[in-house]
Amino acid sequence: MNCTKCKTKAVIGLPRHNAAFCKGCFNGFVHDQVARAIKSEKMFGKEDRILVAVSGGKDSLALWDILLKLGYRTDGLYVDLGIGSYSEQSHAKVTKFAEAVAASHGAALHLHTVEQEAGAGIKELAQLIHRPTCSTCGTIKRYQFNRVAIEQHYDVMATGHNLDDEAARLLGNVLHWQEEYLDKQGPSLPASVAGFAKKVKPLYRLSERELAAYAVLNRIDYIVEECPMAKGSKMLQYKEVLNRLETESPGTKQTFYWGFLEKQSKKQPTETTMTEKDRAVLHPCTSCSQPTTAGVCSYCKMMARAKTVVPR
Amino acid sequence: MQVQLSHPARTVEVKGPKKVKELLRELNLVVEAHLVIKGDDLVTEDEMLYDGDQIEIRPVISGGSPRFTPHVSRLTSQE
Ligand code: SF4
Ligand SMILES: [Zn+2]
Ligand SMILES: [Zn+2]
């Protein structure tokens, strides 16, 4: 197989684009897809300060790498969940990337350690407060990313969600007809109220396979192991099904997700309605002042409960 | 050839010569969910693999619930 562009030996075939690329042309393709995403969804500009949520996995490290190479002002944030060797390894990968790559671009790494604040790692914490681990994890990450973005005055925060993540999530929402979630599946969510950072997903045009290839080709050392909590998750099942379809009919995932985005954009002026809805229901948490629909936000409630049950 | 697999980590011996595409099919693995690495290099599906090659088949799908979900009022369904 030869590169569609320069005719040298290809390293990866991209059936959904009816193309194959050598390393150089593939990097060009990836950077181009991200640049297009940023522009078409008005995510951020060269002056903006961007906080990248990094987990040590391929997507978030590739995202940080791409944004640095495209010349954006980015710093990283890693949340140490305290899940045994998985967290140790992923932390090490993030630190390594920050020192070897990001530092030379003048980018810094922020760190939040769950155990330090909650007195226990995420698994024990979830058990103690009787909530599923992933939901506890979601609350903590969401809260901490937003807190750092707001406190350190970042203009926007970026996450490594890719085409597969978004297509799988869309499939899940459609299968269960959770229409109320469909409005919120766009790759760019405005800062609807004071206290919430704008959130973007610059990788939504790239598949997981393409991002893994980018990481391998550019020698980005990422954690291949999964978070042990992910085993058997619904998301994984949806992704598997979609990848079977994709292999049979290339382009299925992008037709599904991008087609959805196109329909949404024609349907409604999403930003305003979503912003209005948010403004109507959100007000500052009485304890920490991050916006919430309740009096005390779910993060503060969780920490309060943790304090009563976690032996210090 | 030695083929290294993940989730769970294991090594299997496969007889060459064989195209990448055929190797994946034989192991019942979907192309879209895997990368094939020969030595240090990524290879395409039509590449011929021979006995003595060091092959890694790396899964590219990460599961998990949201690595991150949006705002409070925008809680997603997968938590
Ligand atoms: S799988 Fe669950 S616990 Fe692990 S990182 Fe994802 S949300 Fe958190
Ligand atoms: Zn080329
Ligand atoms: Zn609070």
Side-chain angles (χ1 to χ4, degrees), chain A residues 100-117:
Chain A
V101 181
S104 64
H105 291 266
L109 176 67
H110 301 278
L111 170 70
H112 175 80
T113 307
V114 171
E115 211 165 337
Q116 248 167 41
E117 184 155 329

Side-chain angles (χ1 to χ4, degrees), chain A residues 258-272:
Chain A
W258 299 359
F260 162 78
L261 290 181
E262 210 180 303
K263 279 201 189 310
Q264 289 287 99
S265 73
K266 282 193 192 126
K267 210 175 87 192
Q268 21 145 293
T270 358
E271 287 209 4
T272 45

Side-chain angles (χ1 to χ4, degrees), chain A residues 143-154 288 290:
Chain A
Y143 184 88
Q144 291 302 334
F145 284 132
N146 193 65
R147 180 186 63 80
V148 174
I150 295 293
E151 280 179 11
Q152 317 258 345
H153 307 291
Y154 286 94
C288 74
Q290 228 185 67

Side-chain angles (χ1 to χ4, degrees), chain A residues 3 6 8 22 25:
Chain A
C3 174
C6 72
T8 57
C22 68
C25 295

Side-chain angles (χ1 to χ4, degrees), chain A residues 7-27:
Chain A
K7 312 295 173 208
T8 57
K9 189 172 188 300
V11 292
I12 183 166
L14 302 181
R16 76 186 174 102
H17 289 289
N18 211 350
F21 291 123
C22 68
K23 181 185 168 184
C25 295
F26 180 70
N27 279 343

Side-chain angles (χ1 to χ4, degrees), chain A residues 220-238:
Chain A
I220 297 172
D221 185 14
Y222 67 91
I223 181 157
V224 178
E225 277 313 301
E226 277 272 26
C227 172
M229 299 300 121
K231 242 199 180 131
S233 77
K234 270 275 175 307
M235 276 292 268
L236 270 182
Q237 293 174 24
Y238 296 151

Side-chain angles (χ1 to χ4, degrees), chain A residues 1 9 58-59 141-142 161 165 169 173 178 181 199 208-209 222 226 230 239 243 247 253 278, chain B residues 30-32 34 45-47 58 60 62-64 67-71 73-79:
Chain A
M1 213 182 277
K9 189 172 188 300
K58 62 187 188 312
D59 304 302
K141 280 194 208 165
R142 197 161 45 238
H161 291 90
D165 292 325
R169 195 167 126 199
N173 285 339
Q178 281 167 313
Y181 295 122
K199 297 185 172 71
E208 276 199 283
R209 184 167 181 268
Y222 67 91
E226 277 272 26
K239 283 182 176 182
N243 279 335
T247 303
K253 288 184 288 196
D278 276 3
Chain B
V30 172
V31 175
E32 184 63 16
H34 298 88
E45 285 80 78
D46 62 348
E47 180 99 356
R58 189 180 291 195
V60 300
S62 41
R67 255 159 292 173
F68 176 81
T69 34
H71 302 154
S73 68
R74 295 168 181 161
L75 278 183
T76 56
S77 55
Q78 332 127 38
E79 283 205 339

